[in-house]
Structure formats: structure tokens, C-alpha cells
Amino acid sequence: MKEPDIKYNPRPQSFNGIEEMVEFLPATDTKKMEKMTIKRKLVIVGIVCAAAVISVAVGLLVWHFAYRSAPVYKVYTGSLTVTNVPFVEAFEDPTSPQFADLSVKVTEVLLSAYRSDPAIGPHVVSCNVTAFSEGSVISYYLSEFRVPAYKEVALDNAMNELKVKTAKVRQFSLAVDTFVAYPTDPQMARTFQDNKCSYFLHSSPGVETQFTTPGFPNFPYRPNSRCQWALRADAGHMILLHFKTFKMEACKPNKGDVVTVYDSLTAMEPRVLVKLCGSYPPSYNLTFVSSQNVMLVTLVTDNVGKHPGFLAEFTQIPRETLCGAQLKDASGVFSTPFYPAHYPPNRECIWDIQVPGNQHVKVRFLMFYLLEASALVTSCPKDYVEINNQRYCGERTPFVVSSNSSRMIIRFRSDQSYTDTGFMAEYLSYEPQNPCPDQFTCKSGRCIDLVRKCDGWNDCGDSSDESSCTCSTQQFRCKTSQFCKPKFFMCDGVNDCGDGTDEVDCKCPDKYLKCRNGKCFPQEQKCDRTDNCGDGTDESECGDALVTTCTENTFKCDSGECITKLNPQCDGVKDCADMSDEKEAACSCGKRPYSRKTRIVGGVNADIGEWPWQVSLHTPKEGHTCGASLVSSTILVSAAHCFQDASGVRFSDPSIWTAYLGLHDQASRTKSDSVVQRKIKKLLAHRGFNDYTYDNDIAYLELDSPVTYTDFIQPICIPDTSHVFPVSKSIWVTGWGAQTEGGTGAQILQKAEIRIINQTECNVLLEGQLTPRMICAGYVSGGIDACQGDSGGPLSSVESNGKVYLAGIVSWGEGCARRNKPGVYTKVTAMRDWIRQNTGL
Ligand code: 4AZ
């Protein structure tokens, strides 16, 4: 199809909107029309001019900010190795002529490298060599730059490139190798230069050299400060740094007070060994090892908080870079260098295990901590252990690796930054036909007791002990895991199967929930602000408190009013109209100055100060006899059965008892500064204590004089009658009691994490011996429990308000840690009124 021929087009071809508008105006009055056209033209000119002015202004602004604005001040720090100059001691002294001579040459090398690059040269402000160390001579330096903001990235890139370009250069008679440079905190760099809080320490052979934060221990360290300690050892040595006391501001993500330890003499990020904040109990092994004979410790603080700081000491040890071993015995142990101190960076250790004869070998890693926050635990690119081409890293619970031959090679590798405590392992040889004599062999190679097979618990860690089981008549089968669990776990309100299959078809019909008093209520009535249960259960976990009729499940305010909220006491919310749920007297308890959750290194020793309410009660003849808990500055709570006269000893006589508070190690009870000793002024056991059933097993003791609270001595909170410690909650038992049934007591305070067990289930296991004043805790599968000598001590529950509550008092049990025989504790909530009536607390 052809287009129509257009000979004359009355409309201009332009699509300029303004011209179009002009054309479409009604042309009735030509004069008016002309005037208006002029006006419009003026408007157009105005707009064009305004646009021009705006673009010039914008251009000027861009030019100002990009080209003329305050330049960025940048500091780089790094090191380079001079390979053709031998190290001499004078290099350690910045005032020596040798230091001056070499630093001039190194500075020249650096400046010439900078000048050769147009992205760096024009921006150099200064370049200073700060220190030298052995190897052959490692030179540390700080370089300052002033660069326009728009050229900052180019400078960073060029500095990165420079590392590669300057590798292995020969200039000014120096052979230079391993050149590194990283941006650093300019304020930290200034500290190095102004010497205000900058210390240089050289270890003396065989002597511990101490250093502390300024003012320690009498004054808190200062806010907004930067300090650094440059540590040196003799040539051919490494540094072993140990923080004896570490009490800093609690850790805050990406800010707050931080202590950083570098495997270098300058603050280079890729040489960080550890960044520390918060408080560590003295028993935590805060020990670090360098790769060379230098280390740097820096302190950066923010503008808030008053904290004591740290006390550190360091020694030198001969440098040995070889580690690992040829292991030829049938069994043995091995660990990362300096375990349980942090292993050194930049190490490779190989253990070559060859067990005798036709035996096979397996390794059990008892402790395994190779954690680097940024590293992926799947590929383990940083620190790792490698066995049969498989890498292991991160923080792992005990595990076993077995080999199908008599040989196994274990390779450990640490990179240049961030070290951890490492591993401790044992190796064993086994008969390939019978890897676990009289035991069950897990798929992983681990051996477990035969009774633990098909018991409903994943004892192997890989569930191989619970697969292909035939459930006994006392068991039922969980749907997802297919585990066989004890039948009394059904319908107990606890999801034991993990998929809830043990809690379906229970007494409450579908869409109904169970009250604590056993009643069922429709689930939509939960949190409807009406007490449908009659005991407040359905309104107790709704965030707010509802006044309701008083029952044993409700909290009673001082006014006499009762509220529905679960465990409202000291939760930081004023739930009672009279605020009596947040009374200071009842809430200043259960605090742990050393709140850091530490790793258990070597067994189940408690950390120092971890259980500051734990008391050891001694008699002259028996020594440590029972535990107790501090509940105020003068009152201890313990078990009545500890104070029953027996075999010629008048245990009921208060004068025979001595209480040790703040105690950790029984052997140092008269030597340690943190331990306080008190005699007992008054002792009262519950009148209803039954020495046959152990019902009402509670007593209180009054100290002859009050104790002052310290980091190691604090009272535990007494829970209200209505306080609920839910079944299956994890809870801690502590004491110096026997470590095996019939065994001897522990010297160091022990701790064990156990779980609260359903009262009905426990009563079945203990053949009806429980009274309402007892609670059970432990494991049905056994293994972890309190034992003789722990009696009277606390069952401590860490609650969501961060405080620790006395949930129970160690009372009795059928033996210790036996299967199906959990420990029994005096139920403190049931004794709340007795405590109040007798002690006024
Ligand atoms: C005791 O004899 C004792 N397994 C304390 C607790 C337990 C057993 C015995 C619990 O003091």
C-alpha cells in the first residue's frame, strides 16, 4: 500500500511542545496575540537561563566536592622483609644509629615505590619505620596519605598492586621481600607516634613480664583511649601471652571496648590472633602464642563504661616450628601445640599413626575448637584438621574418625590470623572384626554401652544406635525419627519425639490445650484475657498480667491481688499495681559477675565465679560434707538430711560447721583471697523432715557474721511459690560430691547440665517415692547426676531475665547417674513459705 503524497504540511515538523501550544492558541486578537507571544518568549528565555544557572551551580558543587573538598586522611601499615641485612640487637632500639641507618634506607625504598606510581606518589604525606624484628630483618612502617575523596579507591587499588610489584626488589643496597600494606585506624597510628599510651616490653628469659591497662586494678581504664603494648622476645624465641585477669566492657557488635592481639609489631588486620571483649573467669585459658618473637596488644575504648581492664603476662619460649609426631604405640593422646592455650598461627603439624599388627586405628577428638567466625565450616579454608582428604573445622562435640587400615595421617594447619584452643585427641587400635568388644559399634566407629542401643536416645551422635529397632512393650515409636521412646513420655506436654507425635491423641481433644492443672481449654481461648483454666495457665504467657483469683499457680502481689502472668517476678516489667513483683530486695540476686558462657576445657570443672552462691560446708572430722546455697548476706539454704546426728557425730550442732564461700578448689580454701570462711550461728532443719522418705529435705543456716558480695560471692534468687520450671528445661547442678557412685569427692567444683523430668514419669521410675515437695532432674538414660557430697547444694536455673534461681536442693537418689534413676531434689517453690516464715526472706 502506498502512502498519500504530502505536498504541503501546515504544521511545523517540530514536535517542540511550546511551538505546538502557540499554534493551537485561538487567533482572535492579533495584538493581544503578539503581546502574549513576547511574554511567552520571555518565559522561555527565563527558563533556559535558570536551567543554565542551575547546571553551572551543580557543576560547581560537583567540582567543589570532588576536587576541592577536604581530602581523606589515610594511614597504611605494613611490613617488608629485608633479606640481605642480618638482624642485630641495636635494631630494637629506635634511638640507635643502626636503627636510623636502616630506617632511612627502608623509607627510601618505600618512597621510591610510592613515587613510581601516579595513583600513590602525589598523596604521600609521610612514611615512618616504626620497628624492626628478627627474620631476617622485618621492618614495620606507617605511611600517611592525604587523598581527594574521588581518588581514594584508586589509592587503595594501587597500594594493593604495589604489594605484588615490589615483591623482591633490590634498591638502595637492600634486597626486599614480602612487602605487605593494609589500611589501619589513623587514631591507633597516632598512638604509636605520640607515645602517650604506648609501651615497649622485652621479655627476660625465664621471667614473666606483666603489663596492665593503665590504672589497673585500682582505677578503671579510660574512655576514648588508644593504647598499645609492643612485646618482644629474644631472637629464636616465640611469645606466650596470658591474660590473668580480663574484665572489660561487655562485647557490643562492631563497637565497644576491644583488646586485639596481633602476630606482628604493627596493627595489621590479617595478623590478628584474637579480638577480646567482656569478662573472662580466671580459669579460662586466655593464652596466645606468636609465630615469631614479636606480638602487639592494642586497646581501643569507646566513650562509656567503667571497667577494671586486664592484667597480662608474657614469657618467651624457644621457637619450635616442628610439631606433630610419629605415633607407633597401640594407643595414645595428642593435641595441637600448647593445648589448651590457643595454638600458634601459621603452623602445620602432622601426626602419622601406625598401630601394631593387623589392628585398625581410630581417633577420638575429645575437644575440638578450630573456630574462625568468618570461615565456612563446610570447606574449612582457614584453620583445619585433615584426615583422608576430609577437612574438619569449627567447634565440634566429641567425634570419632576411624581408618580401615593400621595407619592414619592427621594433618593440622593454622593460617596467619585468628587462632583457637585447638583439639585434644586420643587414638586407639582395634580388631577390625570386633571394633567394640562387649559394646555397640556406632556407624561413626564410636563404641557405646549395649544398654544404650534402642533406648530412644541418640547416643552415637549419628543415630545409628536408634535405627532398625524393635520397640519393646514399654516403648512407642516416634513417627519421623522412628526412635523407640518410653511410653510414659506420651502426653506429658513435652515434645520428646521432636515432631510432636508423642503428644497427639492425648487427653485434650484436637484444638484444645492443656492447663497446668490438667484441664483442657479451646486453643482460641489462649490469651483472650479471661482465665479459662482457673489457674491462669491460658493467660500466663501472653506478655501482660491479668488480675485473677489466687491459686497456687498465680503470683501474689503484696497487695493480696493475684496475677496470671507466668514468672512475673523480677522480669523488668511492673506487673503488680503496687510493683511488688519488682521489689529491689527480691530482685538483687542470681547475678553472675563472670557471665561469659565458657567452654569446658578438660572435664566438667566449673569456672571460677560461675556459681557464686555455692557454699561448701565442712565439719572438722569429715571435711567437706555437704553443699549449701547463699540466699542473703547471712543465710544459707541446705538439705535437712545433712544435719541429722549420726554415728557419734552431732551434725545438728551448728558449732561443728564451717561454711566456705567463694570457693572453687578445696585444696586452696585457706589460701585463696576470694574465699570467705564463716562459722554457723544458727541451724534449723525443717520440722517435717522425714529421714525415711526424705520429705521436706530443707534446712537453713545463719552465718556468724554477714559476708560482703564480691565477684565470687553472690546470693541466688529464691523462686516464688508460683514459679514454673518447665519439664525438660535445662538446669545446672553443682558440687564437690563424688564423681562416681561410691567414689571420692572432687577437689574442683564440678558442674553438670541436666533436665527437669516430668514428676509423673519420675514417680513411675522411682516406684512412687516422690512427694509434692520433690522434683526430679537428670537423664532417664543416666550418666549425669549429683552424688554423695553434693547434698544440700543448689540446682540452679538460669531464667529468661538473666538471673539464676534456686529450683532445687540436692536431696537423694537411687545411687548416682544410674539409668532410669534420676536425681531427686527438694522443690524450693514448695518450700517458699517455710523459707519466708523462718528467715524473713
Ligand atoms: C547423697 O548421698 C546423694 N543421685 C545425693 C544425690 C544423689 C544420690 C546421693 C542423686 O548425698
Side-chain angles (χ1 to χ4, degrees), residues 641 785-791 810-817 823-824:
H641 81 258
D785 195 9
C787 202
Q788 194 178 16
D790 291 323
S791 283
V810 180
S811 180
W812 65 277
E814 285 189 25
C816 304
V824 184

